Every structure is written in C-alpha cells, then in structure tokens.
Amino acid sequence: APIPNRAQSTMSACAFSLSARAAVATRVRSAAPQRRVAAVTTHTSCAMTDKERRRQKRHTKIRSKVSGTAERPRISVYRSNQHTYVQVIDDENQTTLCAVGTMSVSIKEKVGKEEWATKTVTAANEVGKALGAMCVEKGIKKAVFDRGGFVYHGRVKAVAEGCREAGVEF
C-alpha cells in the first residue's frame, strides 16, 4: 500500500475542522428566538471574594425571573455579617417605596443596642414586621420576595415570616 503524502493528510484534517466549525457556527446562528426579558445586571467595581461573586451570580439569575411592579413590588433582602437590610422596590418606575434595616433607631430600640443583637434572627423578624407594617400603611398587600442570592434560611426566612405576620402576601 502506498504511504499517503503528509501534505494531503494535513489538508484533509484542516478541511474537516473548517467544515465542522462552519456547521457549529450555522447551528449557533440559527437558534430559536428567545423571549425578551429586561436585562438585569449586578456589577460591583470593588474586589470581591469568590463567595460574594457566587452570591451575585445567583442574585442575577433570581432577578431575571423576579421583578416588581407598582401593584406587586419586590421585597429585596441584603444580609451583611452585622446587619440585615430590606427594601420594597417598584422596578417598572425604578423607585424604592420604603426601606428599613437593623441600623434604624426603631429596630435597635426593640432588639437592643448591643453589637451582637443586630445579627440575630429575632432582629431580622422585627425588621420584617416593621417593613410589613410600612407596606400595609402604603396600601401594599401583595409583593414578590427577592432573597438576594442568599439561602432562604435563618435571617432571610425571618424577614419573610415577619412580613407575612404583618399582612403582606408573597
């Protein structure tokens, strides 16, 4: 059997890889049109840990599905090591309707002024009750809950339960 010419075998491999690339490019270009959703990005310009980067990625995925309206605003929770912050947001008009956190004077009076008191589940529950009362005063009965990329457990869950106790439906 004759030995194949080296130039011919290289050329056929290149031709195959070019045709394979063309087929992949064609498949990518002819993808089915997807439904259009408002682009949501969370961009932070400071240095982040891997844990915070993963949380922001989860939050971006959640935000692509959860959006607040004037009739049913979004309750957004942020949990730092020391404090818990919650706000009610109307995404259509890009406005914050009300906000409360463990740094507010009314919450600190209820849970105590000690440094450790603001990190507890009971403090988060008080924040949820206060936010729920603010929502009911403003006529907000229904809302969507945005856990902010955090696990629905502990302080995040306590905020949700406090809001429900005050009369807000999720």
Side-chain angles (χ1 to χ4, degrees):
I3 298 173
N5 188 357
R6 186 175 189 156
Q8 288 176 344
S9 64
T10 306
M11 195 161 127
S12 65
C14 288
F16 174 74
S17 63
L18 285 176
S19 65
R21 284 186 206 142
V24 169
T26 305
R27 272 187 265 142
V28 171
R29 281 190 211 116
S30 64
Q34 297 184 359
R35 73 182 177 126
R36 193 114 164 113
V37 179
V40 177
T41 58
T42 52
H43 176 71
T44 306
S45 58
C46 64
M48 287 187 292
T49 61
D50 286 341
K51 187 175 183 179
E52 177 65 13
R53 194 171 288 118
R54 288 193 312 262
R55 185 198 69 82
Q56 283 200 352
K57 188 175 181 181
R58 285 191 304 270
H59 189 210
T60 305
K61 287 180 185 178
I62 292 167
R63 287 285 292 117
S64 69
K65 299 172 185 126
V66 174
S67 181
T69 62
E71 301 83 36
R72 195 173 171 138
R74 174 172 59 100
I75 296 178
S76 177
V77 178
Y78 180 74
R79 174 181 61 86
S80 70
N81 287 340
Q82 191 70 30
H83 296 284
T84 306
Y85 309 94
V86 187
Q87 56 184 339
V88 179
I89 304 167
D90 176 8
D91 289 316
E92 288 178 346
N93 299 323
Q94 295 181 348
T95 55
T96 299
L97 305 174
C98 54
V100 70
T102 51
M103 289 184 71
S104 68
V105 178
S106 61
I107 300 298
K108 281 196 175 188
E109 287 174 356
K110 291 179 184 175
V111 297
K113 297 189 188 258
E114 296 87 7
E115 181 183 338
W116 58 268
T118 59
K119 332 180 188 188
T120 61
V121 172
T122 56
N125 197 335
E126 289 298 326
V127 168
K129 287 178 185 176
L131 187 81
M134 292 169 118
C135 288
V136 170
E137 283 177 18
K138 293 192 177 210
I140 300 168
K141 300 284 186 189
K142 291 185 177 183
V144 291
F145 190 75
D146 176 12
R147 59 187 176 89
F150 299 104
V151 178
Y152 186 79
H153 176 76
R155 288 191 280 166
V156 176
K157 185 176 179 181
V159 167
E161 288 173 352
C163 281
R164 283 191 189 108
E165 287 174 22
V168 179
E169 294 179 31
F170 298 141

